């Protein structure tokens, strides 16, 4: 099973700090070991996407942080079959400002691929370059955004994006039923445009979220309990807030399991909205 980790933070300068707080809480690698890992983030108007293929060691959480400030991050680690192109099939996938990752598998994808692709406009069909079910799911989500004219809208409400992500999973489930595909798919979907984060759980595999509240101490920044309150870094670390989504935990702690059939939607105000029904 692949691994997904995503974060949206109130202070883009402290994303690396927030990732370091997750040490010992989340996993970024499982067995069998992933042979394709990718991480996406943002540098103002630029989308940063790195491929971390065939790493000998498990990457540290801090190493996933981009070299520049970023409000959002999306990481995925999975195993591709022998011969599959790492460049074309490694998640997260990107289109304009959108980053997307899928944890799980579509049952009967060989049977479903044709009808799903046929439902896409030509430009999104051309965008699917690899052979994974995940990239087709991303194209379906982009079609949902295009149909309501919100693909590039910086004012897109997180609840709207969340409903469209859930609709993507619902469409696959509906088509599976129409074709008589008996086994249930696992469709844990996560997407961000740097301004919002949405995550939808559809299937048996769990998906978790947590809210990190501010604290004055930070080892990466050298901020300790004895650091004077007059230092700007102390106030910044106290004010920071982050919402994190993860598929694999080392210890539950303050993490909440997203109920099956529920979508999480978060904007830059860091308010968590849970949408029911898929």
């Amino acid at each position: 099973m692949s691994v997904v980790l995503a974060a949206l933070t109130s202070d883009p300068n402290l994303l690396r700090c927030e990732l370091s707080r997750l040490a010992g809480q989340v996993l970024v690698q499982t067995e069998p070991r992933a042979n394709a890992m990718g991480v996406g983030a943002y540098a103002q108007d630029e989308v940063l996407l790195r491929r971390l293929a065939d790493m000998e060691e498990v990457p540290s959480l801090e190493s996933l942080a981009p070299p520049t400030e970023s409000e959002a991050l999306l990481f995925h680690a999975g195993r591709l079959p022998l011969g599959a192109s790492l460049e074309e099939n490694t998640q997260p996938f990107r289109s304009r400002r959108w980053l997307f990752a899928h944890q799980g598998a579509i049952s009967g994808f060989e049977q479903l691929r044709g009808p799903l692709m046929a439902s896409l406009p030509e430009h999104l069909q051309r965008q699917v370059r690899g052979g994974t079910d995940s990239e087709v799911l991303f194209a379906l989500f982009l079609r949902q955004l295009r149909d309501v004219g919100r693909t590039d809208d910086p004012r897109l409400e997180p609840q709207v994006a969340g409903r469209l992500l859930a609709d993507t999973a619902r469409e696959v489930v509906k088509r599976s039923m129409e074709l008589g595909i008996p086994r249930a798919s696992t469709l844990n979907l996560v997407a961000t445009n740097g301004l919002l984060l949405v995550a939808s759980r559809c299937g048996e595999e769990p998906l978790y979220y947590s809210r990190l509240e501010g604290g004055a101490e930070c080892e990466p920044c050298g901020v300790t309990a004895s650091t004077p309150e007059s230092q700007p870094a102390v106030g910044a670390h106290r004010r920071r807030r982050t919402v994190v989504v993860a598929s694999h935990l080392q210890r539950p702690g303050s993490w909440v399991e997203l109920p099956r059939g529920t979508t999480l939607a978060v904007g830059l105000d860091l308010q968590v909205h849970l949408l029911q029904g898929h």
Side-chain angles (χ1 to χ4, degrees):
M1 179 59 66
S2 62
V3 175
V4 65
L5 174 69
L8 186 70
T9 186
S10 63
D11 191 333
N13 293 296
L14 301 182
L15 179 59
R16 184 181 300 274
C17 309
E18 297 299 77
L19 291 173
S20 72
R21 296 171 75 184
L22 299 176
Q25 296 187 47
V26 301
L27 292 170
V28 294
Q29 180 71 279
T30 60
E31 295 295 337
R33 289 178 63 89
N35 60 4
M37 291 179 279
V39 59
Y42 298 84
Q44 296 181 351
D45 292 332
E46 184 179 358
V47 181
L48 309 175
L49 194 57
R50 289 184 290 149
R51 304 302 189 198
L52 312 172
D54 286 327
M55 295 185 67
E56 293 183 2
E57 298 182 359
V58 177
S60 68
L61 286 160
E62 285 186 55
S63 72
L64 300 182
T68 60
E69 61 183 39
S70 178
E71 288 91 352
L73 176 138
L74 179 54
F75 168 82
H76 183 275
R79 187 152 194 89
L80 296 177
L82 187 66
S85 166
L86 292 171
E87 181 64 30
E88 294 182 347
N89 295 292
T90 300
Q91 300 187 61
F93 296 114
R94 176 208 169 184
S95 178
R96 299 184 182 180
R97 284 190 59 85
W98 283 101
L99 293 169
F100 177 94
H102 163 221
Q103 186 222 7
I106 298 178
S107 298
F109 178 61
E110 298 80 6
Q111 190 177 352
L112 271 171
R113 190 180 194 279
L116 293 177
M117 289 292 290
S119 73
L120 299 172
E122 187 175 339
H123 76 281
L124 288 178
Q125 291 184 24
R126 292 195 303 267
Q127 187 170 301
V128 179
R129 300 187 301 152
T132 66
D133 53 357
S134 304
E135 192 174 16
V136 175
L137 283 166
F138 185 28
L140 292 173
F141 175 57
L142 293 173
R143 192 203 68 209
Q144 297 273 2
L145 289 165
R146 189 209 67 156
D147 287 349
V148 295
R150 307 298 296 274
T151 304
D152 299 314
D153 187 352
R155 296 170 297 180
L156 175 64
E157 302 87 348
Q159 297 96 317
V160 173
R163 284 193 290 271
L164 296 176
L165 192 68
D167 287 344
T168 301
R170 269 193 290 266
E171 179 176 348
V172 174
V173 171
K174 179 182 177 182
R175 289 183 179 272
S176 296
M177 294 175 61
E178 291 172 349
L179 292 173
I181 298 173
R183 290 185 299 145
S185 300
T186 297
L187 303 171
N188 288 345
L189 312 179
V190 184
T192 179
N193 63 358
L195 303 172
L196 56 83
L197 173 64
V198 287
S200 186
R201 178 187 175 187
C202 180
E204 295 294 336
E205 292 297 325
L207 200 60
Y208 307 89
Y209 73 94
S210 181
R211 299 179 65 170
L212 306 181
E213 300 296 338
E217 298 183 30
C218 177
E219 183 177 345
C221 293
V223 179
T224 67
S226 60
T227 302
E229 292 285 337
S230 59
Q231 293 293 321
V234 174
H237 282 78
R238 287 191 188 279
R239 291 189 298 271
R240 61 180 170 168
R241 293 178 301 131
T242 302
V243 175
V244 185
V245 173
S247 60
H248 289 74
L249 303 181
Q250 287 184 270
R251 63 173 191 265
S254 61
W255 293 81
V256 179
E257 182 173 343
L258 196 66
R260 183 177 176 179
T262 302
T263 298
L264 174 144
V266 185
L268 287 179
D269 60 1
L270 277 297
Q271 294 298 311
V272 172
H273 305 275
L274 298 180
L275 314 175
Q276 305 294 330
H278 61 78

